[in-house]
Amino acid sequence: MDFRAIEQKWNKIWEETGAHRFDQTKTDKKYYVLEMFSYPSGSNLHIGHWYNYGPADTFARFKKMQGYNVFQPMGFDAFGLPAENYAIKTGIHPKDSTMKNIAVMEKQLANMGAMFDWDHELVTCSPEYYKWTQWLFLKLYEKGLAYEKQAPVNWCTSCNTVIANEQVVNGVCERCGHTVVRKNMTQWFLKITDYAEELLSCIDSLDWPEKTKAMQKNWIGKSEGGEAVFPLENSDEKITVFTTRADTLMGVSYVVLAPEHRLVDIITTPEQKEEVEAYKLAASKASDVDRLSSTKEKTGVFTGAYCLHPITGKRVQVWIADYCLSTYGTGAVMGVPSHDDRDFDFANKYNLPITRVIKGENGNDDLPFTEHGIVVNSGEFDGLTTAEAKKAVLKKLESLGLGGVKINYRLRDWSVSRQRYWGAPIPIIHCDHCGAVPVPEKDLPVELPYDVNFTPDGQSPLKKCKEFMETTCPVCGRKALRDPDTLDTFVCSSWYYLRYIDNKNSDKPFDSELANKVAPVDKYIGGAEHACMHLLYSRFIAKALRDMGYINFGEPFTSLVHQGLILGADGEKMSKSKGNVVNPDSYINEYGSDIFRMYLMFGFAFAEGGAWNDDGIKAIYRFAERVERIVSVGANAGSDDNYGPAEKELDYALNYAIKHVTADLENLSFNTALARIMELVNALNKYAEKNVPGAFFRKACMGLVKLIAPFAPHIAEELNELMGEKGTVFCDFPSVDESKLVKDEIEYGVQVNSKIKTKMVLSTSLDSAQITEIIKSDDKIKEILDGKEIKKIIVIPKRLINIIV
RNA sequence: GCCGCCGUGGUGGAAUUGGCAGACGCGCCGGACUCAAAAUCCGGUGGUAGUGAUACCGUGUCGGUUCGACUCCGACCGGCGGCACCA
């Protein structure tokens, strides 16, 4: 059989019959299988695409055969930096290169033979799509979930432009390798922090990899503690600090503000001004690598100001230091050198007092002592444990009106402004009289102009495009300017699974009723690298859309699976520079796509991946040939419907395979599922060798064709036809007949003192007590025991017997 | 440093969640067919000792729980991923 030729034949038939079309009117038994969509890169589909989409399609086909109405769409995440950087390098417009790449990938994806419903395709850079991305932004703005503020951004000193966090690699620009510094710019943010608690608390209910859930939890970083207010001496201002160790409050020897803290300029004394200014300047210039290193020596400057301890009223020095981060908590911390490593270093360096207030319970007297213990030197709190003291101190602060319980999150609001060309324009108009004004919905989309000079020179490329920038204010009608920035591409991908459902709707982003029927996604399959970005953003947007009444669920992806990573043959990540990139095309040309995807599923543990090795691909090819040969025998089998012991044995093998393949596919355990199919093929061969194939053999072969169909869709269709069946093979996944798996007799492992000594075939109708009796009187057992006295017999039904002597 | 995952034959990987470790493949060895080779088919294949039935040892290391541990607990070693001055 020419596996490559039949691929074309069946791809054509599937297209003509609309085999992969999703019927939106039948959503009572729907199943939404989604693979993370592709970025349209210049080269052909790589191993990573195949390893994601091939097995995922196998799962989707399995669900379809089980009778689900399966929705499996595909599209392109088409905005983004690579196309723009490519344009800067070559002069080829991002739109042109992107559309060309999409055309190539569409063709390759179609040849893959996956059951994508191309009627529902979407491309995020098309105005029909980004119109609704802009709509989403406006709705978030209306709801108060989008706001503008000055914030530090990553500024590349060589490219003279802002770059995204993801583009900062080890503190330098990924494109040019030059230093990245922070710069304050006005940016749009989405208020993901409003949902911090819900994003955290809902995680446990999700059927997601534990690893991914843990990453999101860490990223959200809930921290339960309290705030303490230190009033300033000689001023009405107050410093509020956040702490998780309120029990150490009585050990405070100084307070630190972040260099960027609002109060720094207000409280610094004239004598300290010069030193403080110099320190602030140095801190703002420091690159992220320098500043964010925990091993760096602590530095800081005294502001000259004093504040008052909230409980004792004692004078406490106020310092600034860059180990205090302006972006976390209140941007101010209390310094307790005796019980914090950082504070200890700092206090030693600047000769600040160190007072022990926690005693270890087993006499550990070394400082700093960062563990929990018993409070000492703390007046009324002495003798309390750390846990008790935390509560007592915060209660006291609350009664004084100087603090109380507080929860903090590490999660920060999502910065979505990009000073880039190739993205969805932010639908805001800046008017001198009215401020930031949203573009009215009827004027969407704000189209991205084609003729733009996108060479980087420190300005947003759109800013230089007069025709784009100049407009009138929708409120007052006066001249106004558009926002020159574009949206982070993660905004585009945060809601795409909803647009797939209703991709041609020109009145709204999607029909809510329909979306509620088809979504959420039942099985989402894609890489693990998106744990704290795409997957978190999508959850946030779903909750926001739910709260605005557009959908009735808050979690977009009910069940999530990450495929592993296929590495180069050298065990390193594939990259052009390492020269270890494996091109799937040569294998597909030689063996066909069914063989290739089956090999990917058999040769690796799906969630693990591993180093590339093509030793097994020939074996899979031979396996497919064996399948074809045995199915041909089945197709030509006689009509004899004898059902004797040989048939019974084959029936067992068939149902055993059905049972396990079904369970394995459910778990996306493709390698073991294929192993069970191979066993069935071995059983069929064994039968055909010794018996004349008749009606039952034919039936078993048909079962094989059905079982293998999700794995090798084209081959299975061809074999189905060979068997004389009419119509497609993709229906009626076989269901197990448990009665065929009941055995009269079963082999037990017999252990003596937990070591396997012999085997014994026993009837399955015997209960444990009966088996115990048989063991006691069995001659062979007596021989093995050699006169030793039996103390106890443990019988594990259908498995083993352990005789303790 | 913190969080998470992982460690099984020559090799890719299994093991119904505490019950016969190594399923299914690859590779290798032997055989059949062949003048020969390829392809195909059959048999063997964790290690050590022994002609042999068999015995002992074996899931990173060391302990523990248990009739029984790849699986659970404790300590450690090694690898991968994420976060990292988060107060």
Side-chain angles (χ1 to χ4, degrees), chain A residues 655-731:
Chain A
N655 280 284
Y656 184 87
I658 292 169
K659 183 175 178 167
H660 286 94
V661 170
T662 306
D664 288 348
L665 277 174
E666 206 66 67
N667 296 324
L668 285 85
S669 178
F670 304 105
N671 54 349
T672 53
L674 276 164
R676 301 293 86 82
I677 296 176
M678 287 173 179
E679 284 168 351
L680 175 59
V681 172
N682 291 343
L684 286 164
N685 273 314
K686 207 169 146 192
Y687 177 95
E689 231 171 78
K690 294 176 187 160
N691 304 278
V692 179
F696 182 74
F697 183 80
R698 195 196 140 79
K699 185 190 156 196
C701 285
M702 201 50 230
L704 169 64
V705 172
K706 289 282 186 187
L707 288 179
I708 208 170
F711 299 88
H714 305 94
I715 294 171
E717 285 279 38
E718 188 72 14
L719 293 176
N720 189 55
E721 194 177 73
L722 181 74
M723 290 295 282
E725 297 291 319
K726 300 272 177 275
T728 181
V729 71
F730 292 102
C731 57

Side-chain angles (χ1 to χ4, degrees), chain A residues 742-748 760-778 795-801:
Chain A
V742 176
K743 282 189 159 177
D744 301 339
E745 289 182 323
I746 203 154
E747 191 185 57
Y748 279 77
M760 204 175 208
V761 175
L762 294 167
S763 162
T764 48
S765 62
L766 298 168
D767 62 21
S768 297
Q770 289 170 307
I771 290 172
T772 305
E773 288 313 308
I774 291 169
I775 290 295
K776 280 182 181 165
S777 57
D778 189 89
V795 178
I796 308 299
K798 294 178 184 171
R799 290 190 192 282
L800 60 74
I801 298 154

Side-chain angles (χ1 to χ4, degrees), chain A residues 86-161:
Chain A
Y86 182 71
I88 292 164
K89 210 165 91 189
T90 64
I92 298 169
H93 196 280
K95 188 180 177 185
D96 299 342
S97 63
T98 300
M99 294 322 268
K100 196 179 144 209
N101 292 344
I102 287 174
V104 171
M105 288 183 81
E106 278 171 344
K107 208 174 150 202
Q108 286 216 312
L109 284 164
N111 285 339
M112 193 170 159
M115 45 178 250
F116 298 127
D117 185 348
W118 288 106
D119 280 355
H120 287 261
E121 182 183 9
L122 63 79
V123 174
T124 59
C125 71
S126 74
E128 296 77 39
Y129 184 85
Y130 70 71
K131 169 179 179 176
W132 301 111
T133 303
Q134 292 170 337
W135 170 91
L136 172 68
F137 179 86
L138 291 176
K139 289 295 160 191
L140 293 168
Y141 179 80
E142 261 174 44
K143 179 86 180 161
L145 290 171
Y147 65 95
E148 215 179 3
K149 77 162 183 200
Q150 268 230 337
V153 290
N154 305 301
W155 183 262
C156 174
T157 49
S158 163
C159 302
N160 227 14
T161 180

Side-chain angles (χ1 to χ4, degrees), chain A residues 39 79-87:
Chain A
Y39 183 82
F79 274 137
L81 290 163
E84 191 165 341
N85 290 344
Y86 182 71

Side-chain angles (χ1 to χ4, degrees), chain A residues 14 276 308 587:
Chain A
W14 291 335
V276 166
L308 304 172
Y587 295 107

Side-chain angles (χ1 to χ4, degrees), chain A residues 500-550:
Chain A
Y500 271 139
I501 296 165
D502 201 9
N503 66 331
K504 295 187 183 67
N505 198 326
S506 55
D507 298 329
K508 38 189 178 177
F510 53 87
D511 181 75
S512 291
E513 205 184 319
L514 184 61
N516 287 335
K517 281 179 184 163
V518 180
V521 173
D522 295 287
K523 190 69 82 179
Y524 196 31
I525 304 171
E529 67 276 13
H530 294 294
C532 294
M533 296 197 281
H534 166 62
L535 290 166
L536 190 60
Y537 298 147
S538 302
R539 293 183 62 217
F540 157 52
I541 294 298
K543 290 174 198 307
L545 286 170
R546 175 203 59 198
D547 290 347
M548 292 187 282
Y550 292 103

